[in-house]
């Protein structure tokens, strides 16, 4: 039997990867690319080569994410791995522009482009979602090889090999994050796999010849990672993985024909480390981004309630509801998250809400329909950006809420409208909105058939024919199959998020029926919702009780209050808004409880990235190449670290960090004008990218203060060096009356700033710059004061016994803190 295309690919992947040295394997387009390059002038050719290096570096970040997804699958976290694969696909698809990862891959090789997309999709579905790790490994290798081939075709053999080496350095770090999560067997397997692939790769011999020291350091460090993982020594795994990464980066510069190409890859490697942290944070549960997406799902349902009320002539309440959605969103946690994740969706959603309010007030029925469609389409885009691979679960919950709307309208005698809603849901399902069609089908063929062919089709016919028994049967059928899909495809946390949104939507349905004068039906809806919750709601009931008992009790109280208000003839809507707040709080509580176990370790990853960058060769390269790109990268690195440490929007923060990394990649090769991003980041707004050119940054604008002196005083009893991101020593014991000098050793300008609440009560406040409070010191730093620069020292004499803790303002996020114990 003739082998399939995929069998051939799988069999040849290792050979292709090993053969990156030598002839090009780019397929179609190689001759065209070569001819075009030969016909260009020298300057244009150099510019093209620079851009090619930056694009190839971006592909390397995507290759790293493929191996992240596989590592999660190996660690028995296939859902998290599938989410990474889905997010990678989304980033690739959204990489617009002539020099974006998507268009450049398609232009370089149509076959590589097609095989990459197919393998990435198969990695998610046939591999990770099906929990077939062997298949996942096969598809990862195929997808990575497609990008590797294109890297060589686009940037040449040397750049392709140095990127391969950097990729090995990044992927061995996967063993470190797996060990941090306590999965040592997966960490050992990952390290062994990296070592095996490295030994078969062309860059293995190239590195051995070019830099034997880096070669030996890398191989021995990876072997040490494997050994330490086998011994379940987490600290040794971390340290050895760091050594391997450093050796790979050092070796890549030794291989480079052009230093900037290695620098671009280096920044992509740091981007990949950012994705590592996000993957680690996702282990054990969804991120806060999923909770934000659940909040957006509630807004979708509420927009249709406004449409429903307006169509029934209740324009005042419809306008109030639309206005309340706007007001709630302005103060919601999902507001900033949506703006960061998808700025266009954010603006489109707000514009649609504004149009909806106007159309309702003007009695413009077609305008209302158009506005609701605008709101819905932009929320769909936002949910996709925030929820990733978990978006189908939220779509299922939204479908269930809309089927409820149709059922209520049927009860009111509007069977044609009910059928129209069901037909719309059928069309959305067929269009695979938020991947729901493919995910249901891949989760269970039988469930898919029951939902679409039996119950959804049957419900549409029953609505049209006013068949009461058919409506009841098929309504129950679509509801039960969708809930069963949620529980099969999701975790308890993600199902609970979907069900929290569904329950909130049912509450607003009760408010709609109450507004229409049907108190008894409003009460029945609330009672049905309560029974659904008490029956378990796919694990939602128990998950909420375990996550936050106080929220659980208030949730039940507010839900019961809807039924009480309806039975008493009171206005249900104010009570429903209170219940909505508790439903939303429940989603965040469950997500936080299930997904926060590894965020501390993820923050440690980014602290390591911060520390590495401060001392790395690429730090000076990027600062000299484009100071705006440098400042943007550091700002987004700091913001990402803050999000990890303080429970912020990790998904939005890592995307911004990745964009800042890509900005730096293009800046390093002097091709910022070709950056395929419309960045809304500090230093990059409006497409303006200035370059200081001297590498001095803003240090010339920094000043010390009355206690910052030149040199080190001869009468200093103790001296502490301030390295790139550390005080050395970080802890010191002195005697009362001793004089301590902190002297600049390396890195950027530093501060020595006491924590106001971590010094003895009897001590006066102290900080470089002579400030009288911590807030004054931080404000002073923002204004350029309190800095210790090369050749300077900060001096302080300790008069109060006890423990004095302090930090460096610009480098606190990287862990630059210290302690002086005065006896």
């Amino acid at each position: 039997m003739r082998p399939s295309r995929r069998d051939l690919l799988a069999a040849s992947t290792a050979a292709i990867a090993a053969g990156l040295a030598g002839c090009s394997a780019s397929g179609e387009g190689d001759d065209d690319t070569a001819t075009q390059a030969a016909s260009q002038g020298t300057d244009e050719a150099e510019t093209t080569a620079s851009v090619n290096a930056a694009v190839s570096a971006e592909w390397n970040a995507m290759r790293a994410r493929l191996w992240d997804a596989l590592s999660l699958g190996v660690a028995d976290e296939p859902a998290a791995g599938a989410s990474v694969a889905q997010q990678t696909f989304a980033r690739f698809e959204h990489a617009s522009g002539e020099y974006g990862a998507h268009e450049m891959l398609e232009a370089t090789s149509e076959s590589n482009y097609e095989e990459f997309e197919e393998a990435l999709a198969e990695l998610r579905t046939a591999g990770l979602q099906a929990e077939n790790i062997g298949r996942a490994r096969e598809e990862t290798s195929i997808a990575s090889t497609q990008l590797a081939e294109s890297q060589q075709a686009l940037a040449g053999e040397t750049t392709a090999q140095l990127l391969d080496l950097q990729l090995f350095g990044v992927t061995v770090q996967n063993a470190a994050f797996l060990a941090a999560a306590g999965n040592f067997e997966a960490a050992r397997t990952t390290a062994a796999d990296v070592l095996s692939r490295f030994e078969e790769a062309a860059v293995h011999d190239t590195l051995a010849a070019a830099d034997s020291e880096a070669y030996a350091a890398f191989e021995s460090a990876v072997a040490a990672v494997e050994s330490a993982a086998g011994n379940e020594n987490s600290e040794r795994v971390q340290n050895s993985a760091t050594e391997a990464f450093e050796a790979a980066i050092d070796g890549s510069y030794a291989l480079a024909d052009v230093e900037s190409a290695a620098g671009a890859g280096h920044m992509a490697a740091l981007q990949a480390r950012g994705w590592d942290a996000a993957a680690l944070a996702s282990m054990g549960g969804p991120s806060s981004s999923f909770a934000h997406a659940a909040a957006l799902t509630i807004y979708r349902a509420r927009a249709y309630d406004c449409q429903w009320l307006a169509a029934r002539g209740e324009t005042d309440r419809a306008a109030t509801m639309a206005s309340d959605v706007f007001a709630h969103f302005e103060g919601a946690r999902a507001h900033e998250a949506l703006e960061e994740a998808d700025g266009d969706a954010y603006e489109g959603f707000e514009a649609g809400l504004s149009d909806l309010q106007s159309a309702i007030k003007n009695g413009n029925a077609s305008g209302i329909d158009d506005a609701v469609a605008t709101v819905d389409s932009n929320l769909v885009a936002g949910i996709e950006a925030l929820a990733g691979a978990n978006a189908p679960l939220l779509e299922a919950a939204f479908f269930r809420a809309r089927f409820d709307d149709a059922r209520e309208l049927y009860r009111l005698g509007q069977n044609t409208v009910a059928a129209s809603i069901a037909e719309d849901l059928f069309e959305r399902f067929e269009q695979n909105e938020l991947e729901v069609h493919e995910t249901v089908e891949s989760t269970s063929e039988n469930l898919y058939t029951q939902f679409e062919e039996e119950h959804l089709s049957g419900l549409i016919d029953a609505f049209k024919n006013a068949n009461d028994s058919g409506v009841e049967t098929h309504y129950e059928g679509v509801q039960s199959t969708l809930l069963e899909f949620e529980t099969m495809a999701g975790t308890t946390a993600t199902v609970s998020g979907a069900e929290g949104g569904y329950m909130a939507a049912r509450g607003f349905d009760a408010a709609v029926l109450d507004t229409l004068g049907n108190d008894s039906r409003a009460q029945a809806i609330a009672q049905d919702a309560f029974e659904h919750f008490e029956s378990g709601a796919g694990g939602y009931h128990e998950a909420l009780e375990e996550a936050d008992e106080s929220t659980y009790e208030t949730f039940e109280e507010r839900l019961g209050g809807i039924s009480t208000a309806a039975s008493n003839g009171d206005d249900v809507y104010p009570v429903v808004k209170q219940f909505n707040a508790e439903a939303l709080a429940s989603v965040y509580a469950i997500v936080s409880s299930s997904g926060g176990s590894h965020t501390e370790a993820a923050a440690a990853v980014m602290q390591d990235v911060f520390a590495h960058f401060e001392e790395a060769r690429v730090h000076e390269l990027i600062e000299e190449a484009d100071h705006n790109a440098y400042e943007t990268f550091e700002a987004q690195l700091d913001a990402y670290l803050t999000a990890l440490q303080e429970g912020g929007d990790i998904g939005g923060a890592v995307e911004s960090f990745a964009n800042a990394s890509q900005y730096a990649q293009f800046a390093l090769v002097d091709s910022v004008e070709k950056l395929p991003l419309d960045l809304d980041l500090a230093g990059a707004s409006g497409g303006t990218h200035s370059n200081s050119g001297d590498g001095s940054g803003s240090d010339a604008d920094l000043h010390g203060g009355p206690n910052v002196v030149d040199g080190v005083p001869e009468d200093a009893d103790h001296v502490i060096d301030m390295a790139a991101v550390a005080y050395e020593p970080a802890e010191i014991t002195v005697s009362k009356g001793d004089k301590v000098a902190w002297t600049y050793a390396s890195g950027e300008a530093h501060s020595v700033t006491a924590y106001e609440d971590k010094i003895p009560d009897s001590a006066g406040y102290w900080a470089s710059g002579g400030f009288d409070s911590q807030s004054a010191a931080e404000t002073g730093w923002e204004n350029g004061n309190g800095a210790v620069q090369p050749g300077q020292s900060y001096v302080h004499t300790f008069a109060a016994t006890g423990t004095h803790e302090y930090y460096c303002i610009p480098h606190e996020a990287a862990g630059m803190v210290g302690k002086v114990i005065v006896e």
Side-chain angles (χ1 to χ4, degrees):
M1 182 172 65
R2 181 182 178 183
S4 69
R5 173 198 57 76
R6 184 151 294 280
D7 290 337
L8 292 171
L9 275 173
S12 63
T13 292
I16 292 172
L20 279 175
C23 63
S24 170
S26 67
E28 287 182 29
D30 288 353
D31 293 339
D32 292 341
T33 301
T35 301
Q36 179 183 2
S39 67
Q40 293 172 328
T42 302
D43 290 344
E44 186 175 352
E46 289 178 353
T47 300
T48 300
S50 296
V51 173
N52 291 349
V55 175
S56 296
E58 185 64 12
W59 287 338
N60 233 39
M62 291 184 173
R63 292 177 69 191
R65 296 189 75 187
L66 298 172
W67 296 103
D68 286 350
L70 176 63
S71 293
L72 289 167
V74 172
D76 295 324
E77 294 273 359
S83 179
V84 169
Q86 172 65 21
Q87 291 162 7
T88 305
F89 196 98
R91 184 169 175 84
F92 178 72
E93 287 297 301
H94 295 154
S96 60
E98 181 181 358
Y99 297 99
H102 184 283
E103 291 190 26
M104 284 292 281
L105 182 59
E106 191 171 11
T108 301
S109 170
E110 185 73 26
S111 62
N112 287 146
Y113 164 73
E114 291 175 353
E115 296 297 345
F116 169 71
E117 284 209 330
E118 181 175 350
L120 181 52
E122 293 293 313
L123 167 62
R124 179 175 67 86
T125 55
L128 295 167
Q129 287 182 344
E131 299 187 18
N132 184 337
I133 301 305
R135 180 64 180 275
R137 187 181 303 280
E138 174 187 322
E139 299 299 342
T140 298
S141 186
I142 291 172
S144 182
T145 298
Q146 305 316 303
L147 295 180
E149 289 179 0
S150 293
Q151 285 173 328
Q152 175 159 337
L154 194 65
E157 177 185 324
T158 298
T159 298
Q161 287 199 20
L162 74 84
L163 290 172
D164 238 16
L165 179 59
Q166 290 176 341
L167 180 66
F168 286 127
V170 169
T171 51
V172 77
Q173 291 280 0
N174 291 352
F177 82 64
L178 292 172
N183 197 320
F184 290 100
E185 180 57 30
R188 188 197 63 77
T189 299
T190 296
D193 180 65
V194 170
L195 191 57
S196 175
R197 288 189 291 116
F198 173 65
E199 290 176 344
E200 294 176 357
V203 72
H204 177 278
D205 293 343
T206 306
L207 178 62
D211 189 337
S212 59
E213 184 177 341
Y215 164 78
F218 179 74
E219 278 216 327
S220 62
V222 178
V225 171
E226 182 181 0
S227 175
N231 294 326
E232 298 191 1
N233 186 335
S234 181
E235 183 178 0
R236 181 58 180 154
V237 170
Q238 310 296 323
N239 293 338
S240 297
T242 298
E243 291 170 7
F245 179 71
E246 298 284 356
I249 294 299
D250 289 345
S252 71
Y253 282 98
L255 295 179
D257 290 333
V258 180
E259 185 180 41
S260 61
H266 194 168
M267 294 306 298
L270 297 184
Q271 178 191 151
R273 298 291 288 125
W275 293 118
D276 286 350
L280 177 56
S282 74
M283 295 179 70
S287 71
S288 57
S289 295
F290 178 73
H292 301 323
L296 300 186
T297 301
I298 299 173
Y299 294 141
R300 291 182 75 189
R302 293 178 71 177
Y304 284 101
D305 286 342
C306 294
Q307 183 185 43
W308 180 4
L309 282 171
R312 295 295 295 248
E314 296 289 344
T315 54
D316 288 344
R317 176 52 60 86
T320 297
M321 279 191 168
S323 178
D324 287 347
V325 170
F326 210 129
H328 186 277
F329 178 64
E330 287 301 303
R333 295 170 66 178
H335 181 282
E336 184 176 349
L338 177 59
E339 188 174 11
E340 291 180 356
D342 190 329
D344 290 340
Y346 162 78
E347 292 178 0
F349 170 50
E350 288 209 329
L353 275 178
S354 180
D355 291 344
L356 179 59
Q357 293 177 77
S358 298
I360 292 172
K361 291 177 180 178
N362 296 328
N364 182 349
S366 62
I368 292 172
D369 293 343
D370 290 343
V372 169
T374 298
V375 166
D376 186 76
S377 63
N378 283 287
L379 287 176
V380 166
I383 291 167
E384 180 180 27
L386 289 167
N390 290 317
L393 303 178
L394 297 176
E395 181 78 341
F398 171 74
F399 274 25
R400 293 181 63 214
R402 290 296 284 150
F403 281 127
D404 282 330
D405 290 346
R407 183 71 179 89
E408 297 302 332
L409 285 161
Y410 181 81
R411 283 193 175 96
L412 294 173
Q414 294 186 275
N415 60 308
T416 302
V417 178
S420 177
I421 292 174
E423 287 174 329
D424 174 67
L425 295 175
F426 196 115
E427 184 176 349
R428 290 172 186 262
F429 188 72
E430 286 299 299
Q431 291 174 347
N432 198 33
E433 184 175 84
L434 291 176
E435 298 292 324
V436 67
H437 184 288
E438 289 188 8
T439 309
V440 171
E441 190 172 12
S442 63
T443 299
S444 170
E445 184 73 30
N446 182 54
L447 201 63
Y448 162 76
T449 301
Q450 288 182 39
F451 171 70
E452 183 182 48
E453 298 180 9
E454 180 180 350
H455 293 302
L456 182 49
S457 296
L459 184 60
I460 292 171
D461 290 339
F463 278 146
K464 288 180 177 178
N465 298 324
N467 180 346
D468 291 350
S469 63
V471 167
E472 193 61 32
T473 296
H474 294 301
Y475 163 76
E476 292 295 339
V478 294
Q479 289 287 351
S480 62
T481 52
L482 286 174
L483 181 57
E484 186 177 355
F485 157 68
E486 289 178 27
T487 57
M488 290 179 67
T491 64
T492 300
T494 54
V495 172
S496 297
E499 287 302 288
Y502 170 72
M503 293 282 286
R506 288 302 279 154
F508 284 107
D509 285 347
V512 169
L513 269 297
D514 178 68
T515 300
L516 296 177
N518 196 335
D519 293 346
S520 61
R521 188 59 206 152
Q523 183 178 3
I525 289 172
Q527 289 173 338
D528 289 345
F530 198 98
E531 290 174 7
H532 172 66
F533 183 66
E534 288 298 307
S535 68
Y540 177 35
H541 181 284
E542 184 177 354
L544 177 55
E545 191 170 12
E546 291 181 355
D548 190 327
E549 189 170 357
S550 176
T551 299
Y552 161 76
E553 293 174 353
T554 308
F555 175 92
E556 286 205 330
E557 179 184 338
R558 299 299 190 197
L559 181 54
I562 298 174
S563 180
T564 301
S567 66
N568 292 337
D570 297 331
D571 187 359
V572 167
Y573 182 54
V575 184
V576 168
K577 288 196 292 183
Q578 293 176 340
F579 171 66
N580 175 65
E582 295 306 319
L584 197 53
S586 75
V587 174
Y588 281 102
I590 292 170
V591 166
S592 176
S593 174
S594 64
S597 58
H598 300 307
T599 52
E600 184 175 342
V605 170
M606 295 314 296
Q607 285 179 322
D608 288 344
V609 171
F610 203 127
H612 169 86
F613 179 67
E614 287 299 305
E615 297 183 331
R617 185 170 179 174
V618 76
H619 181 284
E620 185 176 348
L621 290 178
I622 185 60
E623 190 172 12
E624 290 179 350
D626 188 316
H627 198 69
N628 278 343
Y630 161 75
E631 288 187 336
T632 297
F633 177 77
E634 281 218 328
Q636 294 306 316
L637 172 54
D638 184 64
Y640 183 23
L641 185 52
T642 300
L644 289 166
Q645 292 172 329
E646 299 180 3
D649 177 17
I650 295 173
V654 70
E655 284 285 349
S656 292
F657 172 69
N659 288 344
S661 303
Q662 190 175 4
Y663 177 11
Q665 291 157 211
F666 275 75
L668 277 164
V669 296
D670 197 25
S671 296
V672 169
E673 72 281 357
K674 299 185 184 300
L675 180 67
L677 292 170
D678 181 17
L679 293 181
D680 183 18
L681 300 171
S685 60
T688 301
H689 313 280
S690 66
N691 182 357
S692 65
D694 60 4
S696 63
S698 57
D699 287 359
D701 298 325
L702 297 176
H703 308 283
N707 46 21
V708 175
V709 301
D710 291 334
V712 179
E714 293 183 1
D715 61 345
D717 298 297
H718 308 274
V719 177
I720 297 173
D721 288 332
M722 293 189 287
V725 288
Y727 296 107
E728 298 174 353
E731 181 176 325
I732 189 172
T733 300
V734 305
S735 299
K736 181 179 179 180
D738 281 359
K739 179 183 290 187
V740 179
W742 285 261
T743 186
Y744 177 95
S746 65
E748 298 176 311
H750 300 287
S751 82
V752 183
T753 310
Y755 285 110
E756 202 162 37
D757 58 350
K758 295 182 179 181
I759 59 176
D761 293 339
S762 60
Y765 185 76
W766 54 272
S768 55
F771 302 102
D772 58 9
S773 69
Q774 185 175 346
S775 61
E778 291 174 347
T779 300
W781 179 268
E782 292 175 2
N783 294 324
N785 298 312
V788 182
Q789 301 193 68
Q792 295 181 329
S793 297
Y794 161 66
V795 183
H796 180 69
T797 299
F798 286 90
T801 58
T803 299
H804 300 247
E805 295 187 36
Y806 63 96
Y807 67 106
C808 174
I809 293 173
H811 300 124
E812 180 188 23
M816 190 167 179
V817 296
K819 183 185 296 184
V820 176
I821 301 171
V822 183
E823 296 179 341

